[in-house]
């Protein structure tokens, strides 16, 4: 193959990679083309190394919990950048689990004041509470207006999976659309890439 043709092929291949890499996985459309009306982002907290909670876990003492690392804080900020593009100036309601890693993720999104919502708390080590907690969360979702502004729910993997069947990565969000029911359909998923 002539050298010029190989170079053009390489340039075309690199351009294709750049296009694929520039679009977050899971988007059905670019962020600025997603309708923010009635949008619900059900988000797993950003990267917090470890699994579960330490034996001395106390809800109001962050020193006893798994917390975000530097990568997790950057994930949350970058997700917030995407969220602001989607919201396009519409007020965004932000709700969070009471765990420190979720509250910090929610605050770093920079999307608005954060309200604690116990229905988003982890039941990883309290599976007996799952059914009642998910029922409460479904009632909350059913009460969201279909024509309202975006709503962000920062929670834990177990909650996202119990509600949607999706096993999200850290900082991944499942996109739902408020429809007056407690079982809004999954429209897509977003996950920011790690900074390079």
């Amino acid at each position: 193959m002539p050298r010029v043709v190989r170079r053009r092929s390489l340039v075309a291949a690199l351009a294709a990679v750049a296009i694929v890499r520039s679009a977050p996985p899971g988007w059905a459309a670019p962020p600025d083309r997603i309708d923010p009306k009635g949008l619900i982002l059900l988000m797993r907290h950003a990267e917090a190394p470890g699994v579960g909670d330490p034996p001395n876990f106390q809800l109001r003492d962050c020193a006893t919990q798994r917390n975000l690392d530097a990568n997790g804080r950057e994930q949350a900020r970058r997700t917030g950048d995407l969220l602001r593009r989607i919201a396009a100036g519409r007020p965004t309601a932000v709700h969070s689990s009471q765990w420190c890693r979720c509250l910090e993720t929610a605050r770093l999104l920079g999307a608005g004041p954060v309200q604690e919502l116990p229905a988003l708390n982890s039941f990883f080590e309290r599976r007996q509470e799952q059914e009642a907690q998910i029922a409460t969360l479904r009632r909350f979702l059913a009460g969201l207006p279909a024509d309202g502004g975006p709503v962000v729910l920062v929670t834990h993997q177990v909650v996202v999976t119990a509600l949607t069947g999706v096993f999200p990565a850290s900082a991944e969000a499942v996109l739902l659309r408020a429809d007056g029911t407690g079982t809004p359909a999954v429209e897509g998923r977003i996950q920011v890439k790690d900074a390079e």
Side-chain angles (χ1 to χ4, degrees):
M1 181 182 289
R3 193 174 192 164
V4 172
V5 174
R6 268 190 273 160
R7 179 176 276 168
R8 285 184 187 150
S9 297
L10 178 61
V11 169
L14 289 174
V17 170
I19 291 167
V20 170
R21 291 181 59 103
S22 68
W27 283 115
D32 49 359
R33 291 193 186 161
I34 293 177
D35 184 0
K37 186 171 59 177
L39 188 67
I40 303 165
L41 281 84
L42 181 65
M43 179 182 178
R44 181 181 180 183
H45 61 78
E47 182 67 37
V51 176
D53 290 302
N56 62 340
F57 170 84
Q58 295 174 35
L59 187 60
R60 296 296 176 190
D61 185 354
C62 294
T64 67
Q65 301 181 33
R66 284 173 43 217
N67 294 294
L68 302 188
D69 62 7
N71 183 55
R73 287 187 286 277
E74 182 60 22
Q75 285 176 330
R77 288 184 194 100
R78 293 177 70 212
T79 302
D81 292 343
L82 284 173
L83 176 57
R84 285 187 295 280
R85 285 178 59 195
I86 295 168
R90 290 188 72 148
T92 301
V94 182
H95 299 273
S96 175
S97 156
Q98 295 174 302
W99 269 235
C100 293
R101 57 188 175 268
C102 290
L103 288 166
E104 184 176 14
T105 298
R107 290 181 187 118
L108 288 171
L109 292 173
V114 177
Q115 299 177 43
E116 293 182 12
L117 183 62
L120 295 172
N121 288 353
S122 177
F123 46 74
F124 182 75
E125 295 175 358
R126 300 181 333 274
R127 296 293 176 154
Q128 70 280 8
E129 297 176 17
Q130 176 177 336
E131 188 176 330
Q133 188 172 321
I134 292 298
T136 299
L137 190 51
R138 289 196 187 284
R139 285 191 296 275
F140 175 85
L141 291 172
L144 295 175
D147 61 349
V151 175
V152 179
L153 305 174
V154 182
T155 187
H156 307 262
Q157 173 270 311
V158 291
V159 177
V160 176
T161 303
L163 202 63
T164 67
V166 173
F167 192 104
S170 296
E172 184 173 0
V174 177
L175 304 178
L176 309 171
R177 184 79 55 188
D179 62 3
T181 75
T183 56
V186 174
E187 288 196 353
R189 297 162 66 172
I190 61 169
Q191 182 181 7
V192 297
K193 291 185 176 292
D194 292 339
E196 295 181 2

